[in-house]
Amino acid sequence: MTTSDVNPDMTALLDYLKQNCGCDLTGNKSSSLTRRFQRRMQQLNIENYKDYLQYIQEHPSECTPLLDTIFINFSGFFRDPNAWDYLANKIIPQIIANKQPDERIRVWSAGCASGQEVYTLVMLLVEALGSEQYLQRVQIFATDIDEDAIAQARRGSYSHLEIAGISSEALSKYFEQTEQGYVFRSKLRRPIVFGRHDLAVNAPMSKIDLLVCRNVLIYLKRETQASIFVRFHFALTDEGFLFLGKAESLTNERQIFTPVSLKHSIFAKGQNLTLKDYLLIKPRIRNKAEVDPLTTQILIWQAAFLASPFAQVAVARNSRLLVANQQAYALFGLKNVDLGARLQDLEIGRLVNSIAFMRQLDSSRHPISLKNVQWVSELDTTYLDIHITPILYPSGKLLGANLTFIDVTECISLADDVERLNSNLAKVTVELQETKKILYNTIAELESTQKELESLNQEIEFRSHG
Ligand SMILES: C[S@@+](CC[C@H](N)C(=O)[O-])C[C@H]1O[C@@H](n2cnc3c(N)ncnc32)[C@H](O)[C@@H]1O
């Protein structure tokens, strides 16, 4: 929404929400926004936007019920069952077939509301892979602009009414019954990372195999949708799929997506992105007023951590594993289920005594370096330099630690080779000196023999003349 095509009082209200509630609604359809604002104003008996702005300024907590009215969080398990059937029977098997047996599968539920969509995905993935493979290989991002919805999704708790569409068999397999209703099994929730994410503003995820964004884009303007489709194209792997809502169509001039099933709103990547496509995102990123510096900083830190050529893990103060990069996953055979585990219960715990180093960091706050730590595994022996850096709150209190593992096995074996060569060289030098000594003695002996012979010759000559 450009601020010119709406009532100036509404523009002032939108500006206020953007600056003070951290919520940018300028990409939303103005017709939908008008309806939602009117509804909330009616509930408060307020007649116009000007008075409503004044009310929000005087009652800052009003942001919460207003945003609750604007973000329609309605969701359901297996919403549009035919489309989910198609996904289960045709798309998920294809995603699995495109992967190596132990390769990761990354899924993003964008605009997941209170979580029913993401748990529907989990059920289908467990059915397709089995729970063990699911826990080992799948990583799911569940995001929404609405913090309250995310908190609800994270809890995974639903009333009897909300679980009505789930078969009794699936219910007992995937949920635990509580006094209030049903909770999605916590073990199966482990591969899910929940977070607030505004599709129109924040940087997209990457290397996603299945991106589910249903019933979100209908509330957004065409140009906002276009910029989000570019982000989605960027987010997906070349073989990835995009699953939209029933009422949502993909309107892009250049066919950056091609339909796999129009009936079920499932798409694959089409043409590559051009500079013009990227520019649909860039103006919002470049515009200083709209950039959230903290988000940018966090994204850069995250990218730097993940892209590091060395294995790295971050550990909380209670020695539990918080995050690991791909190199660490590969080096220590980590699995998603290990996130949250105590370091001493993992392979890494054989290398470092997490309790001792945390105590040391707590008292000194200085980084710790461990050199040439020997790690004997079933396959071979590896040597690692381990750098442990404290992570501190701004107040200086210890929050956790970052551990970097540098494989120095090759350096060690080169150093061994050099040492072996040096000792051989020393041996050869000693032998050479001894040989030299023998040679000198032999020469001396030869010289004295020669002298003896000469004097013998002289004696013989003397006698023969005499
Ligand atoms: C109707 S719900 C859809 C829930 C679920 N995807 C489904 O189909 O059942 C729409 C969700 O989109 C979220 N949403 C709206 N605008 C968004 C944005 N710009 N970025 C991320 N999420 C957004 C809302 O907070 C809401 O939870």
Side-chain angles (χ1 to χ4, degrees):
M1 182 187 313
T2 57
T3 42
S4 58
D5 60 3
V6 286
N7 167 334
D9 290 339
M10 185 165 157
T11 304
L13 184 56
L14 291 176
D15 282 347
Y16 181 86
L17 291 173
K18 189 165 145 188
Q19 302 304 333
N20 299 279
C21 301
C23 202
D24 183 358
L25 298 171
T26 51
N28 287 48
K29 280 182 187 157
S30 54
S31 52
S32 160
L33 274 184
T34 309
R35 272 196 302 276
R36 301 276 142 192
F37 278 133
Q38 298 289 351
R39 186 166 166 195
R40 181 65 193 150
M41 280 156 40
Q42 263 168 22
Q43 285 167 352
L44 296 168
N45 271 329
I46 294 176
E47 281 185 0
N48 57 51
Y49 292 122
K50 212 174 185 169
D51 291 349
Y52 186 47
L53 176 57
Q54 196 181 342
Y55 179 84
I56 297 186
Q57 284 165 337
E58 286 162 9
H59 305 84
S61 61
E62 169 60 14
C63 280
T64 309
L66 171 64
L67 294 181
D68 280 349
T69 314
I70 289 173
F71 299 133
I72 299 143
N73 296 136
F74 176 76
S75 190
F77 291 97
F78 298 100
R79 198 169 167 188
D80 309 323
N82 291 342
W84 284 101
D85 276 351
Y86 186 87
L87 191 85
N89 296 325
K90 299 276 185 233
I91 304 298
I92 291 181
Q94 213 168 310
I95 292 173
I96 296 170
N98 285 341
K99 298 268 170 188
Q100 296 299 319
D102 54 353
E103 216 180 336
R104 294 180 145 252
I105 297 173
R106 283 160 66 94
V107 177
W108 181 13
S109 165
C112 67
S114 37
Q116 290 90 330
E117 178 176 283
V118 71
Y119 296 122
T120 303
L121 278 164
V122 173
M123 289 188 261
L124 296 187
L125 288 162
V126 172
E127 291 302 314
L129 288 163
S131 60
E132 200 176 315
Q133 280 275 305
Y134 158 79
L135 288 170
Q136 279 175 14
R137 294 177 57 193
V138 176
Q139 191 164 29
I140 306 183
F141 301 96
T143 63
D144 199 285
I145 196 172
D146 186 344
E147 301 262 18
D148 289 346
I150 280 293
Q152 222 178 318
R154 195 179 276 122
R155 280 195 295 276
S157 168
Y158 302 96
S159 67
H160 291 272
L161 199 66
E162 285 168 315
I163 51 89
I166 302 175
S167 70
S168 55
E169 196 192 4
L171 205 56
S172 61
K173 184 168 173 187
Y174 293 105
F175 291 81
E176 274 167 42
Q177 195 161 8
T178 63
E179 275 177 26
Q180 292 78 28
Y182 291 85
V183 181
F184 201 82
R185 291 196 184 275
S186 62
K187 190 175 171 195
L188 297 175
R189 271 189 272 152
R190 277 190 216 151
I192 312 175
V193 179
F194 292 95
R196 183 186 181 274
H197 182 280
D198 183 341
L199 286 169
V201 174
N202 298 125
M205 308 290 158
S206 62
K207 297 184 186 149
I208 299 293
D209 300 298
L210 174 60
L211 202 171
V212 180
C213 182
R214 311 194 72 228
N215 310 304
V216 179
L217 300 173
I218 33 172
Y219 304 107
L220 303 177
K221 293 188 74 182
R222 257 179 90 94
E223 53 267 39
T224 313
Q225 288 183 13
S227 101
I228 291 176
F229 286 136
V230 172
R231 287 159 205 259
F232 284 174
H233 191 286
F234 173 86
L236 282 171
T237 60
D238 286 345
E239 291 82 32
F241 292 96
L242 172 65
F243 182 23
L244 298 178
K246 199 175 176 184
E248 289 159 328
S249 61
L250 221 163
T251 47
N252 61 311
E253 284 166 25
R254 270 198 338 94
Q255 301 279 311
I256 59 169
F257 285 97
T258 52
V260 175
S261 164
L262 267 183
K263 185 172 169 203
H264 302 303
S265 304
I266 296 177
F267 301 85
K269 264 184 166 181
Q271 290 190 25
N272 286 338
L273 297 179
T274 62
L275 182 62
K276 199 175 156 209
D277 294 317
Y278 282 113
L279 286 175
L280 285 176
I281 310 178
K282 276 199 167 162
R284 294 175 76 83
I285 293 170
R286 279 217 195 108
N287 185 341
K288 272 192 181 160
E290 292 185 10
V291 172
D292 167 1
L294 188 60
T295 309
T296 312
Q297 224 177 41
I298 290 169
L299 282 170
I300 291 171
W301 287 338
Q302 224 177 35
F305 181 86
L306 295 175
S308 163
F310 304 114
Q312 282 198 66
V313 301
V315 182
R317 198 178 175 188
N318 60 6
S319 296
R320 290 194 182 266
L321 181 66
L322 289 178
V323 57
N325 67 0
Q326 206 63 43
Q327 281 75 4
Y329 269 92
L331 184 63
F332 298 116
L334 291 172
K335 302 182 182 72
N336 286 338
V337 283
D338 296 330
L339 298 177
R342 293 179 321 164
L343 221 56
Q344 55 265 43
D345 297 333
L346 302 173
E347 191 63 23
I348 306 174
R350 286 176 48 198
L351 295 172
V352 285
N353 180 340
S354 53
I355 299 172
F357 80 66
M358 235 9 130
R359 224 177 270 145
Q360 191 176 334
L361 290 180
D362 209 5
S363 60
S364 77
R365 305 281 193 273
H366 291 310
I368 304 167
S369 286
L370 308 172
K371 293 272 175 200
N372 304 338
V373 179
Q374 191 188 42
W375 177 36
V376 184
S377 68
E378 274 173 21
L379 298 176
D380 49 18
T381 299
T382 310
Y383 290 87
L384 298 166
D385 278 0
I386 305 174
H387 299 280
I388 305 170
T389 320
I391 306 172
L392 305 173
Y393 283 106
S395 64
K397 205 174 143 217
L398 187 69
L399 184 60
N402 182 71
L403 279 73
T404 307
F405 301 85
I406 301 171
D407 189 341
V408 292
T409 316
E410 266 186 42
C411 303
I412 298 254
S413 91
L414 278 177
D416 282 352
D417 285 352
V418 169
E419 203 173 305
R420 208 172 324 112
L421 283 175
N422 275 341
S423 99
N424 283 348
L425 193 65
K427 254 190 245 161
V428 170
T429 311
V430 170
E431 275 172 19
L432 195 66
Q433 274 167 353
E434 271 170 14
T435 313
K436 249 179 171 177
K437 228 192 263 169
I438 294 169
L439 195 63
Y440 282 138
N441 289 343
T442 312
I443 291 171
E445 261 176 44
L446 275 174
E447 278 173 354
S448 84
T449 312
Q450 200 179 7
K451 273 182 196 148
E452 259 178 52
L453 280 173
E454 274 172 11
S455 74
L456 197 66
N457 263 346
Q458 280 170 359
E459 204 182 314
I460 292 170
E461 258 178 48
F462 177 75
R463 289 226 180 114
S464 64
H465 284 109

